[in-house]
């Protein structure tokens, strides 16, 4: 099921292509959705000391998805992540990450993403492109996502689900702290994998 824009085929130059019929199941998804933080996860993986991975997540985040079933290319996403909610399982490490050496959470409390484009990559795989802001740096970012489907939960909430990931270089956003190892290499890799597992609830229609 396509949630974003479908690729079109080209007909003969003199022919006028008819607009494809709207998929009723797709059209039914049209609306505004609120991220459910209790059933969503925004996390990261980074190489530590050249030999192992450290995984963490941000426990506090909120966001909105706007899905347009009639014209899926108009769909959008907006996400705010509270930096101070970072959790790697070790309090001292989390304290270092929110300090001025890394995120400087007191001065820059939020990491934000604002989409600018959505496109189908094939099947239920999509690419959402937008602006990621960390600290005072905003740079473009593309996230590959898989649509996991839609369902009505036991409380009557209409839900959609997505999961995906993307790789970034943290230095592109000014996160440059590091320490050299005696055996060569550095303590923290520049490459970071961001992961997204999103469940969002559809808002009630006005007047409903």
């Amino acid at each position: 099921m396509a949630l974003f824009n479908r690729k079109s085929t080209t007909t003969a130059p003199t022919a006028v292509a008819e607009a494809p019929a709207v998929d009723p199941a797709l059209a039914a998804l049209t609306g505004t959705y609120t991220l459910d933080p209790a059933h969503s996860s925004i996390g990261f993986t980074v190489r530590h000391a050249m030999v192992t991975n450290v995984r963490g997540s941000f426990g506090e985040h909120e966001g909105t998805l706007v899905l347009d079933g009639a014209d899926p290319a108009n769909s959008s996403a907006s996400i705010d992540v509270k930096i101070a909610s970072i959790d790697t399982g070790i309090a001292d490490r989390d304290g270092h990450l929110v300090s001025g050496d890394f995120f400087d959470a007191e001065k820059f409390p939020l990491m934000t993403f604002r989409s600018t484009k959505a496109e189908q990559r094939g099947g239920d795989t999509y690419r959402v492109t937008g602006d990621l802001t960390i600290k005072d740096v905003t740079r473009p970012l593309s996230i590959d996502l898989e649509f996991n489907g839609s369902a009505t939960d036991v409380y009557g909430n209409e839900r959609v689900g997505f999961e995906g990931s993307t790789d970034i270089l943290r230095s592109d956003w000014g996160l440059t702290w590091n320490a050299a190892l005696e055996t060569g290499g550095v303590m923290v890799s520049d490459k970071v994998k961001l992961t997204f597992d999103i469940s969002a609830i559809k808002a009630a229609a006005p007047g409903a």
Side-chain angles (χ1 to χ4, degrees):
M1 180 188 301
L3 285 182
F4 303 113
N5 56 316
R6 301 175 183 268
K7 295 182 179 179
S8 61
T9 55
T10 304
T11 58
T14 56
V16 177
E18 294 183 2
V22 176
D23 183 340
L26 174 61
L29 297 178
T30 296
T32 299
Y33 294 75
T34 301
L35 265 64
D36 177 6
H39 297 94
S40 300
S41 175
I42 298 176
F44 60 90
T45 303
V46 61
R47 182 73 73 178
H48 176 262
M50 309 295 291
V51 297
T52 190
N53 289 321
V54 168
R55 293 176 174 83
S57 62
F58 296 92
E60 296 182 39
H61 46 79
E62 60 184 21
T64 301
L65 307 178
V66 179
L67 304 183
D68 186 338
D71 188 0
N74 288 332
S75 298
S76 63
S78 175
I79 301 175
D80 293 341
V81 177
K82 188 175 179 180
I83 294 297
S85 70
I86 197 167
D87 181 8
T88 64
I90 298 178
D92 287 346
R93 180 165 58 203
D94 296 342
H96 191 198
L97 288 170
V98 301
S99 75
D101 282 345
F102 283 94
F103 287 104
D104 198 358
E106 184 173 350
K107 185 176 181 181
F108 305 101
L110 294 178
M111 173 173 62
T112 66
F113 178 77
R114 302 290 184 266
S115 69
T116 57
K117 181 182 178 181
E119 58 184 320
Q120 184 182 15
R121 303 291 290 175
D124 286 333
T125 302
Y126 305 87
R127 176 166 292 173
V128 178
T129 299
D131 295 323
L132 177 68
T133 300
I134 302 175
K135 299 176 76 169
D136 57 350
V137 179
T138 299
R139 294 180 62 89
L141 178 73
S142 292
I143 306 169
D144 288 335
L145 295 167
E146 182 177 354
F147 174 53
N148 288 336
S150 61
T152 301
D153 66 23
V154 295
Y155 302 104
N157 298 313
E158 296 181 59
R159 292 178 177 268
V160 293
F162 298 87
E163 64 179 314
S165 63
T166 190
D167 292 331
I168 68 170
L169 297 179
R170 61 188 179 91
S171 59
D172 286 344
W173 280 268
L175 302 174
T176 57
W177 182 92
N178 227 321
L181 301 175
E182 292 183 3
T183 54
V186 292
M187 181 68 72
V188 185
S189 70
D190 192 18
K191 181 179 177 180
V192 179
K193 182 176 184 178
L194 301 178
T195 57
F196 305 86
D197 195 346
I198 301 299
S199 178
I201 299 173
K202 191 175 186 179

